[in-house]
Amino acid sequence: MLNEVMDQVVLVKGWKKGANWSFPRGKINKDEDDLDCAVREVYEETGYDIKEAGLVKDDQEVKYIEVNMREQNMRLYVFRG
């Protein structure tokens, strides 16, 4: 999640000792859509419902960056506003 001018971002920090700041993230549930997973993880980790806030438009309009690391596919969704 970025602010409107894209110079600030929301990060979360784990509760374990030595945890680092990172983007909200998590594992996808069986039969869950990638975007639905992202919305759920943001809500679980921040308490902020990005869908209710109107940041999630049509699936076709949502921007993301996709990376494959160590045989794991990762998708970073970008929500502005």
Side-chain angles (χ1 to χ4, degrees):
M1 293 185 298
L2 297 158
N3 65 348
E4 194 62 40
V5 294
M6 298 178 30
D7 64 355
Q8 293 181 334
V9 64
V10 171
L11 297 175
V12 295
K13 187 173 184 180
W15 52 271
K16 292 182 181 177
K17 184 177 181 178
N20 294 319
W21 290 97
S22 68
F23 296 109
R25 63 178 186 226
K27 294 188 178 1
I28 193 165
N29 293 330
K30 185 179 179 186
D31 299 325
E32 186 176 35
D33 179 72
D34 289 339
L35 182 56
D36 290 337
C37 175
V39 170
R40 176 180 55 77
E41 287 294 340
V42 167
Y43 182 73
E44 287 177 0
E45 296 187 19
T46 67
Y48 188 72
D49 189 339
I50 58 178
K51 198 169 245 185
E52 186 71 27
L55 298 179
V56 181
K57 311 289 191 232
D58 185 324
D59 286 5
Q60 308 290 335
E61 295 179 29
V62 177
K63 306 292 184 209
Y64 62 86
I65 300 163
E66 199 160 35
V67 179
N68 194 323
M69 289 177 58
R70 295 184 216 112
E71 298 180 25
Q72 183 178 12
N73 189 44
M74 291 182 282
R75 194 177 272 189
L76 176 68
Y77 285 93
V78 180
F79 299 102
R80 183 176 176 188

